[in-house]
Amino acid sequence: MVNNTVSVMALKVYNTMSGTKETFTPLQEGQVKMYACGVTVYDHCHIGHARSGIVFDTVYRYLMSKDYDVTYVKNFTDIDDKIIRRSQQEKIPWQEVGRKYIESFYEDMDALNITRATYEPKATDHIDDMIGVVNTLLEKGHAYIVEGDVYFSVESYKGYGQLSKRTLEEMMAGARIDVDEKKKNPLDFVLWKASKEGEPSWETPFGSGRPGWHIECSAMSTRYLGNPFDIHGGGKDLVFPHHENERAQTEAATGKIFVNYWIHNGFVNIDREKMSKSIGNTLAIKTFLKEYHPEVLRLFFLTTHYRSPVDYSEKSIEDADSVLHRLYYTRDRALETQKGKVISPARHADTDELERKFYEAMDDDFNTALALSYVYELSKNLNKMIDDKDASALGLIAYANDTLNNLSGTLGLLKDNLASLEGRERIHHLNRIGLDISFVENAIAERVEARKNKNYQRSDEIRNMLLEKGIALLDTPKGTEWRIKHSTT
RNA sequence: GGCGGCAUCGCCAAGUGGUAAGGCAACGGUCUGCAAAACCGUUAUUCUCCGGUUCAAAUCCGGAUGCCGCCUCCA
């Protein structure tokens, strides 16, 4: 009801292929087909995966809010070198590795309230599709077999390098690729690997083996979305070689355009350093969620444009945490004004204007940072109206609050409630410092008693004692409440 | 070595030709026994530096400096 006019506005997206923002025009009116590269399931997900997940979840949610019928595919790579290595390390079957980390993936992504895709296929369920693509490439002369490995010939496909914007010559000049004598061109990549002893393998017309990495996304995206389809996304690092290769394979095999819009998200750094396993500074989603509400991470990521790198730091997370609390608090205040009354929302021009700007920002290549600033402004307006205590404004407040919920919801925020937000933080914090809730409750009770007797010295002692443990007391009209005070930087 | 990106208040961050959004922090106020929380208000004549184009530039062009990414598995 609120946004029936917004879908008319044109969405612009930055297309990695052209290097510019383009007006988004789906192949079929009213429908969008998108594919985002999922994860290789050999370990728990870290906050970099969370960023990708949240970015494409935002795209997905936004497209749906514009009334597109979206078919969204996100894959699992459940057969690959790392998984095989992991299965040897953990001494469990490789299938078990996949199952284990897919489960872990869902735990994390569900906790982060990332909407599940329409289809979430596993590579191993689509081996036949991959064999089909490889076969076609062999038949069309785009691939060749050496010692059981099937390679894609990059020289046979004229568009190679267009996505990552470099030419074959430039890449050769880079010369960091080990020259493999078996390959016709050092840049040729493997479509199908002859499997070694003890490794999983599948029988194919071109010998037994297992798929290379890139072929699975080509096969699965084509299977579920056809060719071409509208949007293909993933982390920036996937542009080369993964997406370049996917594109080459698919276009060579089908003779059709593979994808119309390529969208890539920037990376997460930690304290200005690249997050990587070798540096040992990866932060697992599970670790993060022990301390903060999932929406804190979402809000934090949405504060920066999806294409820019984002630097994770305790300070930035604390900032996001404060803002999130405030938004929830505002909504609670607004709800409070409606308690026990029947109020019909009254349309409000100021609110409508902010909503319009919100959608305008989102339409401009998903500018969530700008869009959020309008949410904050809306929250500020709401507080002003509430402070005015003008009974005739109740309808306007209700309307603004509905809008706040709508817009936040479009970004995947304010899906929880204040009590839950604070409750889970309290539990986590108490666990971390090893205190029982009764300790806090007793201390508060003692302080209430002291205050009643105007023994403010004792009262302040107790307050300070708790504060040192990261527990801040709030004397409200309803009584003494407490919340977690994170580091005071 | 090749290719690409970025540089905006103490911190985070939007803004791609029309005269600097927003958040955090800080400060002032309301509230409070005092606080905290919450709310309100204030806070960049200026966008790394140098030169150029233009009536007009953070925004375009050239150069310098610094930081980062990709070129190898990676979201």
Side-chain angles (χ1 to χ4, degrees):
Chain A
M1 126 196 166
V2 193
N3 59 357
N4 47 9
T5 52
V6 294
S7 57
V8 180
M9 294 192 286
L11 172 65
K12 287 195 172 175
V13 295
Y14 180 90
N15 188 349
T16 307
M17 190 65 198
S18 66
T20 57
K21 281 183 203 170
E22 299 175 15
T23 299
F24 178 71
T25 312
L27 286 152
Q28 278 178 278
E29 204 184 327
Q31 288 187 27
V32 179
K33 296 186 188 308
M34 69 181 262
Y35 186 95
C37 285
V39 294
T40 300
V41 281
Y42 74 105
D43 204 349
H44 298 293
C45 290
H46 53 64
I47 57 171
H49 298 110
R51 163 118 109 145
S52 249
I54 288 168
V55 164
F56 292 102
D57 185 47
T58 304
V59 170
Y60 183 40
R61 283 172 192 268
Y62 189 62
L63 290 171
M64 289 194 295
S65 85
K66 288 177 82 75
D67 287 330
Y68 282 113
D69 176 15
V70 188
T71 308
Y72 177 26
V73 180
K74 189 158 63 175
N75 72 295
F76 287 110
T77 299
D78 62 342
I79 173 67
D80 136 299
D81 288 349
K82 290 190 288 289
I83 292 170
I84 293 169
R85 210 179 310 136
R86 193 76 178 202
S87 97
Q88 286 157 357
Q89 281 168 1
E90 296 196 10
K91 297 198 167 49
I92 52 176
W94 64 272
Q95 294 94 328
E96 199 48 48
V97 174
R99 264 197 291 277
K100 177 175 167 182
Y101 291 108
I102 285 174
E103 194 182 314
S104 168
F105 172 90
Y106 278 128
E107 272 170 28
D108 294 344
M109 298 301 157
D110 288 350
L112 290 172
N113 197 19
I114 288 170
T115 317
R116 294 210 181 182
T118 319
Y119 301 104
E120 304 192 332
K122 300 183 195 65
T124 52
D125 288 338
H126 292 276
I127 300 290
D128 286 347
D129 291 323
M130 297 179 212
I131 293 171
V133 181
V134 176
N135 246 341
T136 306
L137 289 169
L138 281 165
E139 279 165 15
K140 291 195 173 182
H142 290 290
Y144 58 93
I145 306 176
V146 184
E147 294 168 20
D149 292 331
V150 184
Y151 290 98
F152 181 86
S153 168
V154 293
E155 282 166 51
S156 76
Y157 167 70
K158 60 182 183 335
Y160 197 77
Q162 281 173 355
L163 180 64
S164 52
K165 297 195 185 56
R166 54 199 116 183
T167 63
L168 281 174
E169 293 71 48
E170 279 166 5
M171 287 189 250
M172 292 305 289
R176 288 251 178 114
I177 310 126
D178 19 316
V179 179
D180 186 337
E181 291 302 323
K182 296 195 297 191
K183 295 194 255 181
K184 289 183 187 167
N185 183 306
L187 292 162
D188 289 350
F189 54 91
V190 70
L191 294 167
W192 193 265
K193 290 182 178 186
S195 44
K196 299 187 193 99
E197 206 37 51
E199 287 182 356
S201 75
W202 286 263
E203 290 306 320
T204 78
F206 37 86
S208 81
R210 59 190 170 93
W213 173 34
H214 317 297
I215 197 70
E216 59 168 89
C217 286
S218 292
M220 288 188 277
S221 58
T222 302
R223 156 68 64 195
Y224 290 96
L225 303 174
N227 286 125
F229 59 91
D230 298 298
I231 295 173
H232 191 135
K236 221 162 207 166
D237 55 323
L238 296 182
V239 175
F240 190 89
H242 188 232
H243 290 164
E244 191 71 71
N245 292 353
E246 264 184 66
R247 186 173 102 96
Q249 291 164 352
T250 313
E251 298 199 350
T254 63
K256 290 195 244 174
I257 290 189
F258 178 41
V259 166
N260 277 154
Y261 301 93
W262 290 91
I263 299 181
H264 293 99
N265 68 273
F267 261 53
V268 180
N269 296 323
I270 292 195
D271 291 326
R272 302 177 53 82
E273 202 170 26
K274 182 184 169 168
M275 185 170 67
S276 82
K277 302 225 162 162
S278 48
I279 301 174
N281 63 346
T282 56
L283 176 61
I285 294 171
K286 290 186 202 313
T287 308
F288 178 89
L289 292 180
K290 276 183 190 154
E291 197 143 352
Y292 297 100
H293 187 95
E295 287 185 10
V296 173
L297 192 61
R298 185 179 285 262
L299 182 64
F300 166 65
F301 284 142
L302 295 180
T303 298
T304 303
H305 189 91
Y306 77 89
R307 278 189 279 120
S308 306
V310 60
D311 189 51
Y312 180 98
S313 69
E314 201 67 21
K315 164 82 165 73
S316 299
I317 293 300
E318 294 298 340
D319 288 359
D321 193 47
S322 305
V323 173
L324 189 66
H325 270 91
R326 218 191 58 219
L327 288 176
Y328 271 103
Y329 197 85
T330 301
R331 190 177 64 178
D332 264 30
R333 288 188 80 200
L335 255 21
E336 197 73 22
T337 65
Q338 298 172 35
K339 216 169 212 170
K341 301 182 187 109
V342 181
I343 293 157
S344 48
R347 207 173 184 103
H348 190 53
D350 291 357
T351 299
D352 284 343
E353 176 63 6
L354 287 173
E355 183 183 45
R356 211 209 84 239
K357 287 178 168 174
F358 175 93
Y359 283 104
E360 191 176 79
M362 289 299 286
D363 272 339
D364 185 14
D365 194 30
F366 312 103
N367 192 338
T368 52
L370 225 208
L372 269 173
S373 75
Y374 299 125
V375 173
Y376 300 157
E377 203 171 326
L378 187 54
S379 153
K380 185 178 267 192
N381 288 171
L382 207 36
N383 277 312
K384 270 185 193 158
M385 289 191 276
I386 295 166
D387 284 348
D388 283 347
K389 294 193 171 67
D390 177 357
S392 67
L394 288 178
L396 302 179
I397 292 172
Y399 184 71
N401 193 229
D402 285 352
T403 307
L404 181 72
N405 271 321
N406 266 326
L407 303 188
S408 304
T410 299
L411 297 176
L413 296 169
L414 299 192
K415 298 286 189 182
D416 206 344
N417 60 65
L418 187 62
S420 153
L421 173 71
E422 296 193 326
R424 70 189 290 155
E425 284 193 346
R426 283 198 280 242
I427 291 164
H428 288 151
H429 186 255
L430 289 181
N431 282 342
R432 195 170 51 236
I433 61 175
L435 272 186
D436 196 84
I437 191 157
S438 61
F439 174 85
V440 181
E441 283 171 351
N442 290 340
I444 290 175
E446 192 192 338
R447 180 168 170 277
V448 168
E449 194 56 33
R451 290 185 75 217
K452 207 181 281 172
N453 301 327
K454 296 213 180 339
N455 184 352
Y456 294 123
Q457 193 187 339
R458 179 62 191 148
S459 155
D460 291 350
E461 257 173 43
I462 293 168
R463 186 168 64 195
N464 289 333
M465 178 275 289
L466 288 174
L467 191 60
E468 276 171 28
K469 298 183 189 302
I471 294 160
L473 297 188
L474 296 72
D475 295 324
T476 76
K478 285 185 233 161
T480 299
E481 293 176 6
W482 56 286
R483 59 161 69 169
I484 302 314
K485 179 124 182 113
H486 290 286
S487 55
T488 42
T489 33

